[in-house]
Amino acid sequence: MALNENSPPQVQVFINFRGNDLRQNFVTHLETALKHYSVNLFAKQDELKGDDPIKFLSKRIEESKIALAIFSTKYTESSWCLDELVKIKEREEEGKLITIPIFYELNPSEVKRLEGDFGSNLWNQVKLTADFDKLKKWKEALDFVSHKTGFALTENGYRFYPSHRFVII
């Protein structure tokens, strides 16, 4: 599906994920599928420019209309992922972004309740940063996004998790 000059601007999709965990498997397949359908997307490995990568990623989130937050067991090992999620939550609350959570080989309840390795990794991040204001923002963003309509992917397939919040586009 090729786009011509008269086509409307494409929707930018930002993919938020823990790189070491997913880059060479699920995210690569997802990117390939989205690009096949001419979806304009940004995933961290594409490009990180400038002296301040966090500011660059924040700008990419601001340019996006959709964010895919891919939660995995090791997601909370990354303060970058968590900081991006805070920005994603802010943009959604402003009505400028739609977020779809994807729980990759992870039970959504582990994210919602901060349990298992997912929760333990978050507490380890807090010990490293000792920034309790940041922890509060991370927890609020995790709670906000994890309660949205999304998908849980396991080796047996996927399951759709509807929320009670509906978005009309």
Side-chain angles (χ1 to χ4, degrees):
M1 174 173 167
L3 297 176
N4 64 41
E5 340 178 17
N6 298 327
S7 297
Q10 293 179 301
V11 172
Q12 173 82 27
V13 176
F14 184 89
I15 303 177
N16 166 253
F17 67 100
R18 172 76 171 128
N20 295 340
D21 215 14
L22 299 170
R23 185 176 322 248
Q24 296 306 317
N25 55 44
F26 177 69
V27 171
T28 300
H29 295 294
L30 178 62
E31 286 179 321
T32 300
L34 292 173
K35 286 178 181 177
H36 176 76
Y37 289 100
S38 300
V39 174
N40 184 16
L41 63 96
F42 178 82
K44 284 179 266 196
Q45 73 261 30
D46 289 345
E47 54 179 295
L48 284 176
K49 295 182 180 175
D51 295 332
D52 188 353
I54 297 297
K55 186 176 179 181
F56 177 76
L57 291 169
S58 182
K59 183 177 182 324
R60 287 296 193 205
I61 293 167
E62 290 175 6
E63 294 169 350
S64 300
K65 300 294 181 199
I66 298 170
L68 302 177
I70 305 173
F71 297 117
S72 61
T73 303
K74 295 183 180 182
Y75 180 92
T76 49
E77 288 179 353
S78 169
S79 60
W80 279 31
C81 285
L82 293 163
D83 290 340
E84 289 171 13
L85 195 67
V86 169
K87 181 67 174 180
I88 287 168
K89 175 187 176 276
E90 290 170 2
R91 297 293 290 173
E92 175 125 9
E93 289 178 329
E94 294 168 357
K96 297 180 179 177
L97 186 71
I98 295 170
T99 310
I100 302 168
I102 299 172
F103 304 92
Y104 183 81
E105 297 184 359
L106 185 66
N107 189 317
S109 67
E110 291 180 70
V111 178
K112 292 173 185 173
R113 296 181 189 136
L114 301 176
E115 296 177 334
D117 290 341
F118 188 89
S120 296
N121 291 334
L122 177 64
W123 300 120
N124 290 336
Q125 266 304 324
V126 172
K127 290 176 192 171
L128 291 173
T129 64
D131 186 341
F132 294 103
D133 289 333
K134 193 173 261 202
L135 169 65
K136 182 178 184 231
K137 288 181 180 181
W138 288 346
K139 285 176 64 177
E140 288 171 354
L142 286 164
D143 182 64
F144 180 82
V145 174
S146 68
H147 282 87
K148 298 186 68 53
T149 298
F151 297 91
L153 302 174
T154 67
E155 53 190 47
N156 298 327
Y158 72 92
R159 182 168 178 191
F160 177 68
Y161 280 88
S163 77
H164 299 291
R165 302 176 203 160
F166 294 95
V167 178
I168 299 174
I169 301 176

